Amino acid sequence: MQIALKAADIGHLAAALPVHCRWLGVLEEEFFRQGDKEKALGIPISPLFDRAKQGVSKSQVGFFDFVALPLVRALTDGFPGASPLAACFERNYTHWKTVEAEAAAQQAAAQQAPVQQPRQRGE
């Protein structure tokens, strides 16, 4: 029962991609607001709650790898009827893996691009 409740808690991970992304944005804003309050109180800002740093929308692959997929796979082990839910988790996981791979490729390309020196007058 606890696994099913937790899967329901993170159920937006199985929603259609536009719905999932909307939920993710709302969740990230909630986290940032908590971080704003922590900052105002002068206490350490919780991980992923600092607006000046990476938020939850940039850590989806890790969350799927270490939390969501093991959880939903455990659920389907006990309740095979939950397999369609697991398939939806996997679909969105594939999306985030693609996004992460594209970002890594862009970063690698940017690092390999030659740096052009500014031209001197008269050149």
Side-chain angles (χ1 to χ4, degrees), residues 23-107:
W23 273 100
L24 186 59
V26 170
L27 177 65
E28 188 167 59
E29 181 58 28
E30 178 185 336
F31 285 5
F32 285 157
R33 287 183 183 188
Q34 179 177 328
D36 295 344
K37 288 181 181 179
E38 292 169 346
K39 184 177 181 179
L41 292 170
I43 60 176
I45 300 174
S46 301
L48 302 175
F49 289 26
D50 190 342
R51 287 183 190 276
K53 297 182 180 175
Q54 176 175 301
V56 295
S57 64
K58 303 291 187 258
S59 61
Q60 286 303 289
V61 171
F63 188 74
F64 271 95
D65 281 338
F66 298 107
V67 178
L69 292 177
L71 181 78
V72 77
R73 289 171 183 156
L75 180 64
T76 59
D77 285 348
F79 301 95
S83 293
L85 178 68
C88 294
F89 271 66
E90 296 282 353
R91 178 195 65 226
N92 285 339
Y93 175 65
T94 299
H95 165 76
W96 291 113
K97 290 284 284 188
T98 301
V99 168
E100 187 177 81
E102 289 171 354
Q106 288 176 352
Q107 185 176 13

